[in-house]
Amino acid sequence: MKLKTSAQNWIHAFVLCCLIGVCLSESIRAYEVEVVSGRAMGTSYTLKFNRSGMHSSVEQISEIVASELEKIESTFSLYRPDSELSQWNAAAAGEWIPVSKELYFVAKYAVELSQLTDGAFDPTLRPLIELWQSDSLSGSWKPPSPEAIRAQMKKVGASQILFQVDPIAIQKKTPVVRLDLNALVEGWAIDKILELLKSNGCSNAVFELGGEQAAIGCKPDGQSWIVGIEDPQALSRVYATVSLSDAALCTSGSYRQSHSYAGKYYSHIIDPRTGSPIEHDLLSVSVVHSNAMVADGWATALMVLGPTEGEKLAATYQLAASFVQRSVGETKPKLSTAAHGRIITAEPHTPSRIRELFIACGVVVVSCFAIAILVQQRRK
Ligand code: AMP
Ligand code: MG
């Protein structure tokens, strides 16, 4: 009888320990940030998330993310001849080409954005983009001739793209028209990944793809996810921070992807009005929006428009945007009205020349003191 009681006690103690163990691991899990990273769509990605309340393992989430990104690439990639978009680009004109709802949705938004920006954003610029990119990796790159630019300009125009709702299909009016959705695809992919995570029970995550990022919920400690905006004039520095919750931050800049000829830099962003890379002094535009595809597209569109027109349009559409123009010394971003309180600019730091002057003065003062002490000791 005594033996049975002690055995029962042991069992109770064991069950209690298991329960405590489960509770402990749950509460540790509630505070843990899991990290999954990899490469897709020609760039890198990082997902940070909290697994509390989720049934999937980190490995399973990693696989889900990788296979979704692969699916997106097989739809939108212009580098894969067998992608759905490449196939559509190669298709004949004047016919309704059935497309997936993903391609339809992104292409439809691209044409809408083109209308909203009076053609500054243009998803049919592919012929010009290829012209400016050709031979860009060779050491002997030089800008194309005005005739070549004019010839390619005849092949672009978002009004050449028609949409049919039932059944969903896209048509091109002329055979030379092609779609390039690269300015939106990263944002679209971010929205898709976060949706997928939510459907897997994840409510707190931040996902970054090629520098564009968006977050749902908050960090496990209840604080918001804070992300920085890179200073285009000092790449190791962040010039502003954004507290992201169910929102995205996307940046378009001409400071990373450009090539040069005879001392002049040429951006990867083309102004459809000139058929050439943008020429103004805007280095980057960042947009905060609840939808990552919208933020991504507007960042590129405002970058095309430049500081004056871009700021006007950001005000018209109440976009939370930050503009950085080339400047000597400290980076001075200009925020749209809607960006105030959402994009928090870093405290300006002491310009390096003044800081150097302070250090030099300090060294002189300390040296004078040291010399004075030495002289006094010698006199004694
Ligand atoms: P992002 O780096 O997000 O601003 O996107 C730049 C990409 O958008 C380029 O690599 C081109 O594929 C494409 N692009 C360039 N100029 C334009 C434009 N004016 N409108 C729409 N897409 C563009
Ligand atoms: Mg973009």
Side-chain angles (χ1 to χ4, degrees), residues 119-123 125-126 129 133 180 182-184 186 212 251-253 257 268-272 296 299-300 304:
F121 184 94
D122 189 334
L125 285 182
R126 195 68 204 160
I129 291 165
Q133 268 176 359
D180 176 330
N182 285 346
L184 299 174
E186 283 177 357
E212 320 290 27
T251 297
S252 179
Q257 295 183 49
H268 71 304
I269 293 172
I270 306 289
D271 187 335
D296 196 8
T300 305
V304 178

Side-chain angles (χ1 to χ4, degrees), residues 145 181 220 228 365:
S145 68
L181 301 170
V365 171

Side-chain angles (χ1 to χ4, degrees), residues 241-243 286 288 311 314-315 318-323 333-345:
T241 54
V242 182
S243 161
S286 300
V288 180
E311 282 170 39
Q318 291 170 13
L319 297 165
S322 172
F323 298 79
K334 277 197 202 148
L335 301 189
S336 66
T337 311
H340 288 283
R342 295 199 81 179
I343 298 177
I344 310 299
T345 50

